Amino acid sequence: MARAAMPHPSGASAVHALADAAPTPFWLDDPARPAALPALVGDETCDLLVVGGGYSGLWTALIAKERDPERDVVLVEGAEIGWAASGRNGGFCAASLTHGLGNGLARWPGELATLEKLGIRNLDAIGDAVARYGIDCDFERTGEIDIATEPHQVAELQEAAEDAAELGLDRHTFLDEDALRAEVDSPTFRAGLWDRDGVAMLHPARLAWGLKQACLDLGVRIYERTRATALAGDGTGMAVRTPYGRVFARHVALGTNAFPSLVKRVRPYVVPVYDHALMTEPLSEEQLAAIGWKNRQGLSDSNNHFHYFRLTADHRILWGGYDIVYRYGGGVRAEYDHHPATYEKLARHFFRCFPQLEGLRFTHSWGGAIDTCSRFSAFFGTAHAGRVAYATGYTGLGVGATRFGAEVMLDLLAGERTERTELEMVRSKPLPFPPEPLRWAGIGITQWSMTRADTRAGRRNLWLKAMDKVGLGFDS
């Protein structure tokens, strides 16, 4: 297939497409959104307190009750269930626990086959839970295609396909340009690697709301608009303070992710970075036919600054990623959610990828914080003599991996040696980020270097090579 010349959409065209976009997450702008439950007022006691009402906390509470229906579980959430990353992400639910095959091979080559097995088992369990609890979240296991848009990336995808084959992962299929464009048609596409069974697409907010209801049905007591402000030992248990009360618990599981951990020594390991996305209006039958995409896979390109995109149940396209916005000091604030310059850039990139959709409008634009760590995948630990467990640092791949993290936290709190807790990935920590202003400067240099590599056939400069050597990275 001959390559068409690359179109260059104007800024005016992008601005026009964004003119009516509501500055709110599409997934949360849903009549199915449940009302918030009352805040905690006074004192509570329980066996297990879960802090955080995103996927990490919800899966922990749910699995804790599944393991022991008699366990008394309380969950507190500072705002509303699913309002943060769990209701703002792209809805890519991946089996990978290592932020992709390449990162896993670089960091845990000796146990990657086990990690892949556990990841598939985890994704299977998510699908089973969605069915068992009747969660209406548009769960569809269509897989994901990693896309080469530059010549050097074609060879990288071919190498990744060979690595997958050596690990016995037969679900990966390399697609040349013709095969890829037969799946989804864009003049920017050169090749692809399709993970046919390792990723599901879903409605992320409805998954969170469905998990909330499942927890309630099993007897979990949930308090929303109840921010945990302090954590301290209390005899043989723990006490967590909230604005209007306290919770006394034998054990505490922390699922706060991008927000500052109640275990202060964990904070240097995580920085919040902001990711942004757009949602189009529904495509017509003619527009869908123009791009193909009949198999509804999730898609992402292979640049350092990458885009991710997918179809919704009502045939919209979510288009997100590219910029990774870090704010000096690492705060998480509502005013950081929006970045108009990124929205315009994303819109221009969208029409460059799909020029046949020129004239399509965007209905929603939004952003949110991601809990990034230097190894791009979750890390785990305990505090207060094993009475507190945490899992954090998912780096944008938490839709699926948080369920695995919940099981790790519960194993750690139980003091059990399991296949999960014996993993080097679980027993080790990433490198911490340096304090400010070194953190801000280092992230800035890394961002510049990544952009430079994208424009120079992937060649990594001395800064990136040094970061690779010591295992310190930055991603979303």
Side-chain angles (χ1 to χ4, degrees), residues 158-173:
Q158 289 172 324
E159 183 178 350
E162 293 167 2
D163 291 338
E166 289 179 9
L167 287 165
L169 304 178
D170 57 4
R171 66 178 193 267
H172 292 75
T173 302

Side-chain angles (χ1 to χ4, degrees), residues 46 48-52 56-58 60-61 73-77 251-255:
C46 60
L48 172 67
L49 171 65
V50 179
V51 179
S56 191
L58 291 164
T60 303
V73 180
V74 169
L75 184 151
V76 295
E77 161 56 40
H251 293 111
V252 177
L254 301 177

Side-chain angles (χ1 to χ4, degrees), residues 251-268:
H251 293 111
V252 177
L254 301 177
T256 49
N257 296 332
F259 296 89
S261 177
L262 293 177
V263 177
K264 292 184 179 179
R265 69 170 183 265
V266 175
R267 295 180 184 180

Side-chain angles (χ1 to χ4, degrees), residues 233-238 250-253 382-389 413:
D234 181 69
T236 60
M238 300 300 301
R250 289 176 55 203
H251 293 111
V252 177
T382 61
H384 293 276
R387 290 173 289 178
V388 176
L413 289 173

Side-chain angles (χ1 to χ4, degrees), residues 283-302:
L283 274 65
S284 67
E285 290 186 9
E286 292 78 13
Q287 289 168 324
L288 278 170
I291 60 173
W293 215 344
K294 293 178 182 178
N295 289 314
R296 301 180 55 81
Q297 308 94 330
L299 305 175
S300 63
D301 64 50
S302 301

Side-chain angles (χ1 to χ4, degrees), residues 63 67 122 402-412 420:
I63 296 170
R67 290 186 180 187
N122 183 64
T402 44
R403 187 192 175 281
F404 175 82
E407 296 217 82
V408 171
M409 284 195 285
L410 291 170
D411 290 350
L412 293 173
R420 289 178 289 266

Side-chain angles (χ1 to χ4, degrees), residues 136-171:
D136 179 16
C137 64
D138 302 329
F139 186 93
E140 51 180 344
R141 201 155 165 174
T142 56
E144 179 182 3
I145 304 177
D146 291 330
I147 293 169
T149 57
E150 300 294 337
H152 71 276
Q153 295 167 0
V154 176
E156 292 171 358
L157 291 184
Q158 289 172 324
E159 183 178 350
E162 293 167 2
D163 291 338
E166 289 179 9
L167 287 165
L169 304 178
D170 57 4
R171 66 178 193 267

Side-chain angles (χ1 to χ4, degrees), residues 13-14 16-18 279-284 287 291 315-317 347 350-351 354-363:
S13 175
H16 177 73
L18 288 164
M279 187 69 83
T280 73
E281 62 190 344
L283 274 65
S284 67
Q287 289 168 324
I291 60 173
H315 307 305
R316 301 169 184 264
I317 297 176
F350 176 87
F351 292 114
F354 293 124
Q356 60 269 57
L357 298 181
E358 185 70 35
L360 194 68
R361 305 292 291 268
F362 297 101
T363 61

